[in-house]
Amino acid sequence: MSPTAQPSRPRPQIPVIVLAGFLGSGKTTLLNHLLRSSRGTRIGAIVNDFGSIEIDAMTVAGQLGDSTVSLGNGCLCCAVDASELDVFLDRLTRPAARLDVIVIEASGLAEPQELVRMVLASENERIVYGGLVEVVDAAEYEATRERHPEIDRHLAVADLVVLNKTDRVDGERLARLRTALDGSAAVVESTYGRVDPELFFDRRPAAERVGQLAFDDLLHDDEVAEGADGAACGAGHDHAAHLHAGYESVAFTAEAPMHPRRLLDFLDARPEGLYRIKGYVDFGAADADNRYAVHAVGRFLRFYPEPWPGDAPRRTELVLIGSGVDGPALLRDLTAARAARREDAPDERSMWGVLRYVPAPAEEDGPEPDADGEPVPVPSGAYEEPWGPYAPEDRSE
């Protein structure tokens, strides 16, 4: 497809997050926290216990109901293959479910990289990879690493590391842990799995929910009224105890179009701590008809072209979320990636690199209907699949 062609607006894809970590690290506690803090965002889960009694699935099912798929008596990465995982994903991604995000909680003995490969190999066109989150028990990390040195391999492929149970270690030991985990992607600290859901997914605005007051709204009101220590939030409150204190969020806006090659150079060189990038990119004359939604998590990257809405301002708007990142440096690098001068104007060929990260459309007889029975068009054309560092050995870029 020529970059100047005008594809129809693609149907939104559901991010699939792989939640991993050794036994007892706090994965189920973190998932339950996300469910309590979703504030209307619809979460589906695939829960995989190791053993015949599915304790974790029972814990989560009380909150998810029919949006849970549980797999007992075996590790997900060994018990099923990619095609079998698609059966479960098909169930959770049916339009009637209206899910916003899916979390795969792996067994404590699973191989995270294999689960990531399975998600990336999925033939379900309704999903997109949402990142690998590795939960680490701060109090047991050294002992776990001694018994299971493969934890280094798990951390090496993680997109986000949640250093949990930090209340069980002193400041000196916590500093050593942070040093040991430095370079293992973005790292955020937590107690009882309490991390900001905005690290994982975009929560629905309250205005989009209809009906009577929900229980999660009451929970949110309590969280607003009280801090993590039970004290009322107000003047003088210590915001370091808030969930958002462990990461930085940087907003970038540019009226001048972005140069495709320079933006890709920035994305290729983004620091390990930069966990998520989301927003819209204006490539100017290189594709005047479309804006490009960008979805990046860890080293995974995709662009989604869609026609400019008639009332949308022609500009680039991005949000970058990470831990331990240099916000001003990110803004400087993005500013330098603009095509601000006339002689810098990108041509059609400069879009080739971007188009490598546009997903290929599904090969199907016709557009799939949405929940209301209306056809949902998808972009035409064919591009390479952006597999990134998780590419199977028999598949090349």
Side-chain angles (χ1 to χ4, degrees):
M1 184 189 78
S2 168
T4 57
Q6 182 168 333
S8 302
R9 182 186 297 270
R11 59 176 176 263
Q13 291 180 294
I14 302 172
V16 176
I17 299 167
V18 178
L19 182 60
F22 278 91
L23 298 167
S25 59
K27 300 185 300 296
T28 301
T29 301
L30 191 155
L31 177 54
N32 280 318
H33 165 70
L34 294 179
L35 298 174
R36 284 170 47 89
S37 307
S38 63
R39 288 165 46 194
T41 301
R42 297 178 64 86
I43 304 174
I46 298 175
V47 181
N48 179 216
D49 285 346
F50 190 83
S52 58
I53 301 176
E54 301 172 57
I55 302 298
D56 288 353
M58 292 164 59
T59 304
V60 174
Q63 302 201 49
L64 281 174
D66 290 339
S67 296
T68 307
V69 174
S70 60
L71 304 170
N73 203 23
C75 284
L76 179 61
C77 60
C78 303
V80 300
D81 59 22
S83 63
E84 291 173 301
L85 178 61
D86 272 345
V87 173
F88 304 116
L89 292 175
D90 287 344
R91 170 180 165 184
L92 292 177
T93 59
R94 64 193 189 280
R98 296 184 180 273
L99 293 181
D100 300 301
V101 63
I102 295 171
V103 179
I104 299 177
E105 183 193 340
S107 157
L109 301 178
E111 279 292 331
Q113 187 166 359
E114 292 306 311
L115 296 179
V116 170
R117 290 178 187 272
M118 289 166 64
V119 173
L120 291 173
S122 170
E123 296 182 358
N124 189 317
E125 296 293 329
R126 301 188 188 100
I127 68 162
V128 64
Y129 175 62
L132 168 61
V133 179
E134 182 79 14
V135 184
V136 173
D137 184 336
E140 301 294 333
Y141 172 74
E142 290 93 346
T144 300
R145 188 169 182 266
E146 184 175 347
R147 295 193 307 270
H148 302 284
E150 61 267 29
I151 193 174
D152 290 340
R153 184 174 68 250
H154 298 179
L155 291 170
V157 297
D159 299 301
L160 177 69
V161 176
V162 176
L163 184 57
N164 194 31
K165 304 183 184 182
T166 54
D167 56 319
R168 296 181 54 192
V169 298
D170 58 30
E172 181 179 345
R173 188 175 175 189
L174 183 59
R176 290 201 308 269
L177 286 171
R178 288 302 301 249
T179 299
L181 295 172
D182 187 38
S184 301
V187 180
V188 293
E189 300 172 13
S190 72
T191 58
Y192 301 102
R194 285 173 50 85
V195 291
D196 196 326
E198 294 288 346
L199 276 170
F200 301 90
F201 52 81
D202 300 326
R203 292 190 286 193
R204 286 179 180 266
E208 292 187 9
R209 303 196 302 275
V210 295
Q212 65 185 42
L213 183 67
F215 183 60
D216 62 340
D217 291 310
L218 297 175
L219 287 173
H220 174 60
D221 290 342
D222 290 341
E223 291 170 0
V224 171
E226 296 186 0
D229 56 0
C233 287
H237 180 64
D238 181 13
H239 285 266
H242 288 184
L243 298 181
H244 59 249
Y247 67 91
E248 295 81 37
S249 179
V250 179
F252 172 78
T253 301
E255 301 295 335
M258 304 299 291
H259 195 288
R261 292 196 185 100
R262 293 177 193 163
L263 181 61
L264 284 180
D265 287 343
F266 167 81
L267 293 172
D268 287 341
R270 60 192 186 274
E272 290 290 342
L274 184 54
Y275 174 59
R276 287 185 71 198
I277 303 175
K278 57 184 180 178
Y280 292 96
V281 178
D282 173 21
F283 287 118
D287 188 350
D289 294 329
N290 300 301
R291 66 179 182 179
Y292 283 69
V294 59
H295 168 76
V297 55
R299 310 313 299 174
F300 181 82
L301 172 65
R302 278 192 179 177
F303 287 101
Y304 300 89
E306 61 181 59
W308 280 98
D311 57 348
R314 300 267 178 148
R315 64 188 179 207
T316 295
E317 296 178 310
L318 298 174
V319 175
L320 302 89
I321 300 173
S323 175
V325 296
D326 185 341
L330 293 175
L331 292 176
R332 286 195 301 270
D333 291 344
L334 281 170
T335 298
R338 297 174 304 161
R341 299 184 300 274
R342 185 181 298 273
E343 57 269 24
D344 283 344
D347 56 25
E348 184 173 308
R349 294 177 59 185
S350 67
M351 288 293 293
W352 291 355
V354 171
L355 294 181
R356 291 181 60 241
Y357 294 97
V358 174
E363 293 183 2
E364 48 193 23
D365 294 334
E368 182 173 333
D370 62 16
D372 299 319
E374 295 295 326
V376 180
V378 295
S380 59
Y383 313 110
E384 294 182 25
E385 184 79 17
W387 290 75
Y390 307 109
E393 293 179 0
D394 60 350
R395 188 180 181 107
S396 59
E397 282 283 338

